[in-house]
Amino acid sequence: MGGFVLAIDQGTTSSRAIVFDRSMRIVGVGQQEFPQIFPKSGWVEHDPEAIWASVTHSIHDALARARITAADIAAIGITNQRETVVVWNRATGKPIHNAIVWQDRRTASTCEKLKADGLEKTFTEKTGLLLDPYFSGTKLAWLLYHVEGARARAEKGELCFGTIDSFLIFRLTGGKSFVTDATNASRTLIFNIATQDWDGDLLKLLNIPASLLPEVKDCAADFGVTTTESFGAEVPILGVAGDQQAATIGQACFEPGMVKSTYGTGCFALINTGEDMVRSKNRLLTTVAYRLDGKVTYALEGSIFVAGAAVQWLRDGIKVIGDAAETGRLAAEADPNQQVYLVPAFTGMGAPWWDPEARGAIFGMTRNTGPAEFARAALEAVCYQTRDLLDAMQKDWAKDGREAGDQAMVLRVDGGMSASDWTMQRLSDILDAPVDRPAIIETTALGAAFLAASRAGLWPGCDDFAKAWARDERFTPAMDEATRTQKLRGWREAVKRTLTHS
Ligand SMILES: Nc1ncnc2c1ncn2[C@@H]1O[C@H](COP(=O)(O)OP(=O)(O)O)[C@@H](O)[C@H]1O
Ligand SMILES: O=P(O)(O)OC[C@H](O)CO
């Protein structure tokens, strides 16, 4: 026994724990959903205690399914929903408020004010991000302002701020480690991606005391050791990365020009840009793909807030389906003569539009429109939005004479929604490019496991790991150009009518 690696994947709607063996095979999975809290329009919160409970429950289940105990785990990797903010008491580990989730728009007016003060350039130059409520900084500032006594306690050094990785590590290590990794830090709006340190100027602008902040480490590093009380054994945590960066690693996108797109609650496409901090001219983000042995690899990222969340809305909101997998079957039956478009701006529009005030809209409904057309519109919206991202990405990547390269012509996909054959085929049709789905679509967990296992010397390094990447299926374009053009024209018109700014 021994030599197993545990990946904890703390996502937006559920937590997963996955046990891998020495041969990188999955031998046990545990998963638990937790409640989404919507206190007001555009606000999204999570109870950190519910997250913690779902993580411990998932770990327990994964170990049981793998028929091992905590003592058989040699190393732990953690990956997480990014940007989501938790503030907790340093002495007790108790959160002072619900976590404010990445999708939450409550700080839209703060961002507008900072923009009006001419500060977007400063934030973008230092962080690679934009002034949008998506990122952690303004959410943290909101908590310090609105939770009674929080600022005074923060100034006395009594509170900790972290993204979910930091919170979980703090809990797992019994409060001994207060750390994060460079990828999670790069999403906070207060981390300088050139100096790889918290930025004093930005902290001042957002009025955030530095005493709140965790130490920032490489993605493969010593993040602390679990306690027997929290985990059941003392096991080192050796890998950490935000979920989209972990998926980039799990997809073995180690070469500049390689692109992956993950379809979970939202959709996030990242292109590896190597050591180049490519600055987008098309409203994409410059971010840390991974930092290993002190060396930073950067990425350009396009972030869409609603992908699988639109499918959840069909299931839980308007209740036209009973199960996510039904959408593909329904979409295949939809009336080809109806041009129904769903612009799922439920929490604003992300890249490349960045319109936090936009809200969802449906266009082109007739008396014959039913669940099938709704399902097709929800799935197609994800394909159109990916096309918008990749168009922007290609422009940024091709400038300065960079070649697209063979790898860039293929999109590697993963995440819950990539299980849908109908969606992946339509994606290939709309992109007019091949789409590769790997044998392991749990690439996020695989990436976190790889970071921990390679640090522990259990798995090979990047090159051999990349060779082990295996394809499950390649989807190739089968739509004629005229149909694609017509559909894209309809989508762009629908987006134009949804945006609050032009
Ligand atoms: N067969 C399917 N067809 C369409 N959507 C799906 C399918 N299976 C899962 N999904 C969607 O994928 C999402 C779950 O993906 P996951 O990667 O677990 O997300 P997250 O990590 O954000 O919680 C859900 O929003 C769900 O509706
Ligand atoms: O939980 P996911 O997989 O939708 O990912 C959330 C992202 O990290 C938000 O930036």
Side-chain angles (χ1 to χ4, degrees):
M1 280 293 203
F4 293 96
V5 179
L6 176 73
I8 298 171
D9 177 2
Q10 203 303 297
T12 309
T13 55
S14 75
S15 301
R16 266 192 293 269
I18 302 189
V19 180
F20 292 86
D21 69 11
R22 267 183 184 271
S23 311
M24 306 187 216
R25 278 188 308 246
I26 293 177
V27 292
V29 180
Q31 177 167 13
Q32 193 176 53
E33 289 199 12
F34 55 86
Q36 306 293 308
I37 304 165
F38 305 112
K40 288 187 189 180
S41 167
W43 291 30
V44 189
E45 296 182 358
H46 291 158
D47 175 358
E49 297 296 354
I51 288 185
W52 174 246
S54 69
V55 166
T56 52
H57 180 94
S58 306
I59 293 172
H60 183 267
D61 273 6
L63 295 176
R65 296 219 163 96
R67 296 171 189 279
I68 59 170
T69 68
D72 297 312
I73 301 291
I76 297 174
I78 296 180
T79 179
N80 54 290
Q81 52 167 319
R82 308 164 304 166
E83 299 98 12
T84 297
V85 170
V86 193
V87 175
W88 66 94
N89 182 318
R90 197 181 281 269
T92 63
K94 286 226 170 308
I96 65 162
H97 190 274
N98 274 343
I100 305 187
V101 177
W102 57 275
Q103 295 161 312
D104 192 291
R105 314 273 87 198
R106 78 185 63 181
T107 60
S109 57
T110 313
C111 293
E112 278 314 310
K113 177 154 188 331
L114 290 165
K115 272 191 222 169
D117 291 345
L119 289 166
E120 185 157 55
K121 195 159 169 266
T122 309
F123 278 94
T124 300
E125 272 175 10
K126 287 169 180 275
T127 67
L129 310 175
L130 295 159
L131 277 174
D132 187 89
Y134 174 29
F135 308 106
S136 318
T138 55
K139 293 173 175 7
L140 172 55
W142 187 95
L143 283 174
L144 292 177
Y145 187 75
H146 286 90
V147 178
E148 209 186 322
R151 175 165 307 285
R153 291 169 70 198
E155 271 156 12
K156 279 195 256 163
E158 292 173 9
L159 301 180
C160 299
F161 148 74
T163 36
I164 299 288
D165 54 313
S166 299
F167 176 66
L168 294 179
I169 296 169
F170 193 88
R171 285 270 168 113
L172 285 166
T173 61
K176 287 204 186 76
S177 289
F178 180 38
V179 290
T180 187
D181 84 296
T183 65
N184 273 295
S186 77
R187 315 295 298 182
T188 57
L189 206 64
I190 46 178
F191 185 73
N192 188 316
I193 56 170
T195 63
Q196 291 290 301
D197 207 351
W198 301 115
D199 191 285
D201 296 341
L202 301 182
L203 291 173
K204 236 181 252 153
L205 284 171
L206 292 175
N207 201 8
I208 294 171
S211 60
L212 274 169
L213 307 174
E215 179 192 347
V216 183
K217 292 183 168 258
D218 282 358
C219 301
D222 298 331
F223 289 92
V225 176
T226 60
T227 60
T228 310
E229 295 73 41
S230 66
F231 185 69
E234 293 187 0
V235 178
I237 302 166
L238 297 179
V240 176
D243 57 6
Q244 302 311 320
Q245 283 87 343
T248 306
I249 296 166
Q251 288 275 28
C253 289
F254 296 130
E255 299 295 324
M258 291 181 81
V259 192
K260 76 89 205 177
S261 190
T262 300
Y263 298 89
T265 304
C267 157
F268 303 87
L270 270 81
I271 179 168
N272 182 323
T273 62
E275 289 170 29
D276 274 358
M277 232 187 322
V278 176
R279 300 297 185 164
S280 177
K281 294 261 184 295
N282 297 284
R283 316 270 301 153
L284 299 178
L285 311 171
T286 308
T287 206
V288 175
Y290 42 87
R291 195 175 93 190
L292 298 171
D293 299 322
K295 187 173 157 235
V296 186
T297 297
Y298 293 95
L300 270 178
E301 173 176 323
S303 324
I304 303 171
F305 300 144
V306 173
V311 173
Q312 282 178 335
W313 171 72
L314 294 177
R315 189 191 64 185
D316 307 335
I318 57 170
K319 299 185 171 49
V320 295
I321 54 166
D323 182 68
E326 270 178 55
T327 47
R329 184 181 50 75
L330 275 172
E333 289 168 4
D335 176 1
N337 295 316
Q338 288 188 50
Q339 304 300 323
V340 180
Y341 292 93
L342 166 67
V343 184
F346 301 143
T347 52
M349 291 286 274
W353 315 108
W354 300 107
D355 184 345
E357 305 294 352
R359 289 296 176 264
I362 297 178
F363 298 94
M365 282 194 291
T366 70
R367 279 292 296 270
N368 293 330
T369 301
E373 287 73 31
F374 269 68
R376 184 184 59 194
L379 299 181
E380 283 189 333
V382 174
C383 307
Y384 295 132
Q385 290 185 92
T386 308
R387 169 79 194 231
D388 291 341
L389 293 184
L390 295 196
D391 282 353
M393 209 169 250
Q394 243 154 22
K395 279 188 216 147
D396 282 333
W397 182 244
K399 90 178 161 30
D400 306 332
R402 268 183 297 263
E403 292 290 324
D406 285 351
Q407 300 280 19
M409 307 313 288
V410 182
L411 180 68
R412 291 188 172 184
V413 294
D414 55 65
M417 212 175 176
S418 70
S420 164
D421 285 357
W422 191 91
T423 313
M424 294 303 105
Q425 180 55 50
R426 188 49 55 102
L427 178 64
S428 174
D429 291 342
I430 296 296
L431 296 180
D432 196 18
V435 167
D436 276 359
R437 184 171 62 196
I440 301 184
I441 60 169
E442 292 288 358
T443 46
T444 303
L446 182 64
F450 167 74
L451 290 169
S454 56
R455 173 106 182 148
L458 293 166
W459 291 9
C462 293
D463 291 350
D464 287 329
F465 179 73
K467 279 187 208 134
W469 184 92
R471 188 165 68 206
D472 157 52
E473 189 151 355
R474 170 166 288 186
F475 298 87
T476 49
M479 184 180 274
D480 63 83
E481 186 58 38
T483 308
R484 180 168 35 250
T485 307
Q486 183 213 9
K487 281 176 148 308
L488 280 166
R489 197 178 301 127
W491 165 253
R492 283 172 188 150
E493 182 58 30
V495 170
K496 211 164 104 192
R497 289 163 70 186
T498 306
L499 293 173
T500 61
H501 61 68
S502 51

